[in-house]
Amino acid sequence: MLRTVSGLITAQEAGRILEHEHVLVGFVEEGKLTPEMYDRNEVVTSVLPYLLKLKEAGCSTMVDCAPEYLGRDPYILRRLSELSGVRLITNTGFYKKPYLPSFVYEISERDLADIWIREARNGIGESGVHPGYIKIALNDGTTIDEMQLKILRAAIRTSLETSLPIQCHTIGHSIALHAYEIMKLAHFDQERFIWVHAQTFKVTDVYKRLAEAGGWISIDSILPGTYEEHVDLLGQLLECGVGDRVLLSQDTGWYNVGQFQGGNLRPYHHLFTDFFPVAAAGGLEPQWLEKCVTSHAFQAMSMRS
């Protein structure tokens, strides 16, 4: 089952799933973003037409990937879901420096996990909305720094105690391999782990290693102007035998806090209306593309009993 802002849904109800997109983002450092910095009604009015267009394109479910202190707002997501008919999924978890509040540096891994576990069990604040997954990030580079290592380990604890999957912002194959080894030592089932921004890895052996461990390969920057390179990359993933672990999304949207009327919002529907035809013309099987946004995405994002 997938846990949306409105409750649990089945695979049939979920339909097509965009597993990594954004509704609202506020890049305010030190965890100081608050709802007072934006108008919820304006956000809803601005984003709603894009969700209606997505629904028209045949997509029923979208995962919002802004964690707390970076734009997560369960009230906006629930209202948008009610108005658009698109089932939205939100998260628990934190991002990375410099967008973390000071207390995150001071508390233990166990205490950090307890915050997320409470949200998973009791809901987010007074909203009545429950998170459907854990969203974290790793620092860029070759090794995981101490802060993000604590966040990764807390996410593993949370997943083990709540059955929620983890989505992890990961740039580059070296940092991915470091995280892979940490999870292996922790005996963590990496089928519960989604490698976000895996298009940045670009090393066939790394894709194979992560997929063989059960990890999900999220190719999520499929935007206009990048279609040909993504067709090539997806072809390579199929050739190296990891096609059954691939997810597709765009990492797009979004209402940007601090910009006039949210700035330049970008559509969510182009993956289906524009990229899929290009990909099929480039030799990728339409049935496989559909699996990436249906059965693959549902399995990757599902809660486990």
Side-chain angles (χ1 to χ4, degrees):
M1 303 285 280
L2 295 187
R3 179 181 275 172
T4 75
V5 298
S6 304
L8 294 171
I9 61 172
T10 64
Q12 184 175 359
E13 291 170 318
R16 283 172 162 177
I17 303 163
L18 282 177
E19 53 83 29
H20 193 91
E21 308 294 340
H22 290 282
V23 168
L24 170 75
V25 178
F27 291 103
V28 180
E29 296 186 2
E30 299 178 358
K32 293 182 178 179
L33 177 68
T34 68
E36 288 72 34
M37 294 180 178
Y38 52 88
D39 183 321
R40 281 180 168 140
N41 289 329
E42 181 177 281
V43 178
V44 169
T45 299
S46 298
V47 176
L48 180 58
Y50 296 92
L51 287 175
L52 291 171
K53 191 72 174 178
L54 177 63
K55 182 75 170 177
E56 183 182 322
C59 181
S60 300
T61 305
M62 192 179 90
V63 180
D64 179 70
C65 292
E68 188 176 10
Y69 305 112
L70 203 72
R72 183 191 70 173
D73 191 312
Y75 297 96
I76 286 175
L77 296 179
R78 185 167 56 195
R79 183 61 177 151
L80 281 169
S81 184
E82 290 169 351
L83 293 172
S84 68
V86 175
R87 301 174 189 274
L88 297 174
I89 299 173
T90 191
N91 59 72
T92 192
F94 297 149
Y95 194 51
K96 62 178 182 175
K97 297 181 288 188
Y99 306 107
L100 299 171
S102 59
F103 79 86
V104 179
Y105 298 91
E106 300 163 3
I107 64 175
S108 70
E109 170 194 318
R110 175 73 259 183
D111 289 341
L112 185 56
D114 283 345
I115 293 172
W116 302 339
I117 292 166
R118 281 196 298 271
E119 285 197 334
R121 292 175 176 168
N122 304 327
I124 299 169
E126 302 299 320
S127 69
V129 170
H130 287 72
Y133 70 106
I134 304 154
K135 171 63 188 297
I136 63 169
L138 302 178
N139 55 286
D140 301 345
T142 57
T143 58
I144 304 170
D145 67 26
E146 185 176 342
M147 183 67 249
Q148 300 311 129
L149 181 58
K150 180 168 70 171
I151 285 176
L152 173 60
R153 286 176 170 157
I156 291 171
R157 279 182 179 267
T158 304
S159 180
L160 290 172
E161 294 196 30
T162 66
S163 82
L164 293 177
I166 301 169
Q167 279 205 27
C168 184
H169 168 107
T170 316
I171 304 298
H173 71 275
S174 296
I175 208 84
L177 289 176
H178 189 190
Y180 162 86
E181 293 296 341
I182 290 165
M183 287 186 283
K184 186 176 178 182
L185 289 171
H187 303 289
F188 180 68
D189 179 2
Q190 295 187 39
E191 189 173 349
R192 312 304 302 124
F193 200 85
I194 300 170
W195 295 99
V196 174
H197 312 321
Q199 66 274 359
T200 66
F201 299 173
K202 292 182 169 49
V203 179
T204 298
D205 288 345
V206 171
Y207 288 123
K208 291 175 67 175
R209 190 172 180 182
L210 300 179
E212 286 170 359
W216 293 96
I217 308 298
S218 174
I219 306 301
D220 47 52
S221 63
I222 306 175
L223 297 168
T226 71
Y227 292 165
E228 297 299 335
E229 65 187 78
H230 278 102
V231 169
D232 290 343
L233 174 59
L234 294 175
Q236 293 172 35
L237 294 176
L238 285 166
E239 287 179 10
C240 73
V242 303
D244 62 347
R245 310 305 295 172
V246 172
L247 310 174
L248 303 178
S249 212
Q250 302 156 120
D251 193 18
T252 197
W254 58 74
Y255 186 100
N256 200 322
V257 177
Q259 295 189 12
F260 178 69
Q261 294 184 343
N264 182 29
L265 280 73
R266 295 174 296 181
Y268 301 116
H269 66 272
H270 284 313
L271 183 79
F272 305 108
T273 59
D274 297 10
F275 176 70
F276 273 20
V278 170
L284 298 180
E285 288 289 337
Q287 289 184 334
W288 176 75
L289 293 168
E290 289 291 342
K291 284 183 178 180
C292 292
V293 296
T294 53
S295 58
H296 292 189
F298 185 85
Q299 185 179 350
M301 290 297 301
S302 286
M303 299 179 65
R304 301 296 174 87
S305 57

